[in-house]
Amino acid sequence: MAHLLLVEDDPLVRSALIRALTERGHAVISASAGMPGLTRAVEDRPDLVVLDLGLPDLDGCEVLRMLRAVSTVPVIVATARDDEREIVRALDAGADDYVVKPFGGAQLDARIRAVLRRGRDADDGMPAVAVGGLRVEPAAREATLDGVLLGLTPKEFDLLHYLAVRAGQVVTRRELLTEVWRMAYGGADKTVDVHLSWLRRKLGESAQRPRYLQTVHGVGVKLVDPGP
Ligand code: CA
């Protein structure tokens, strides 16, 4: 299951794709033009963007270039014709994959899963990290606390892993936004705080009584071994 942003101006295509992707277990938000699509990509931080290249306000490749200036979120572009030049232009502008219209929900879903898997394969070679009673295993994408499996969302896992690898070091919100959310900028530092508070709850602690997750006021957060 992934959080997807669909940028598509044709209302029939949009609703058909939302239905097909939702049926396959994804959470889908959508935009009907380039500018609102960019806003949602920055504010809602989806796992992947499906971007139609033929949009009413901006050229899809232009949208992609603007998005790439601020984000490395995976993008699959949808092109109207099997136009090789258009596809090359989109790939050069930073698209991770493409689909040619008309395409079905099954094909799009398979491409989405393949693009997301490529990102995850990068984790496979990474060693497990242990900090106190916490153990984080990137290959299995699992974390345990005192031997008990933590039910983490993908973003919570990425956040915990990023902090665990840097145990004892202060990590800034900006760095987390850039490295965990792959956002080079964005006003919503609140996203980081919200995820940190969810993670805290799953670790059985609170901001008032922290153990592993220590806030360093005005700077950021660090993950520490709380000791016995
Ligand atoms: Ca279109």
Side-chain angles (χ1 to χ4, degrees), residues 5-182:
L5 167 62
L6 171 65
V7 185
E8 166 65 65
D9 59 314
D10 184 324
L12 290 178
V13 175
R14 194 169 62 236
S15 59
L17 286 178
I18 290 173
R19 193 167 50 241
L21 293 171
T22 306
E23 275 168 8
R24 286 172 171 80
H26 301 295
V28 187
I29 55 173
S30 67
S32 57
M35 280 315 291
L38 278 170
T39 304
R40 297 219 74 176
V42 170
E43 287 181 356
D44 295 293
R45 303 167 199 278
D47 298 320
L48 184 143
V49 178
V50 178
L51 174 66
D52 178 29
L53 289 183
L55 292 168
D57 57 341
L58 287 169
D59 172 57
C61 282
E62 201 49 45
V63 175
L64 186 51
R65 264 188 291 275
M66 290 163 81
L67 181 59
R68 276 289 168 261
V70 296
S71 167
T72 58
V73 62
V75 175
I76 297 177
V77 294
T79 70
R81 292 154 278 126
D82 190 355
D83 180 341
E84 175 131 345
R85 270 186 44 216
E86 182 87 332
I87 292 167
V88 169
R89 220 158 65 86
L91 293 172
D92 281 345
D96 294 271
D97 201 355
Y98 66 92
V99 280
V100 175
K101 290 183 176 180
F103 57 87
Q107 185 196 159
L108 181 58
D109 179 49
R111 287 182 183 264
I112 288 168
R113 283 184 284 113
V115 167
L116 292 175
R117 201 160 49 228
R118 257 183 258 154
R120 277 197 287 272
D121 283 348
D123 294 344
D124 277 0
M126 289 189 187
V129 192
V131 182
L134 189 65
R135 189 174 166 83
V136 184
E137 297 189 54
R141 290 191 66 84
E142 281 179 3
T144 55
L145 178 61
D146 302 325
V148 179
L149 187 65
L150 298 169
L152 302 178
T153 65
K155 271 290 182 283
E156 287 166 1
F157 178 86
D158 290 340
L159 180 59
L160 182 63
H161 181 234
Y162 192 85
L163 293 169
V165 168
R166 292 158 186 79
Q169 299 172 27
V170 183
V171 177
T172 64
R173 280 178 182 72
R174 177 77 3 182
E175 181 178 344
L176 290 171
L177 272 177
T178 310
E179 299 299 327
V180 178
W181 276 267
R182 310 252 170 231

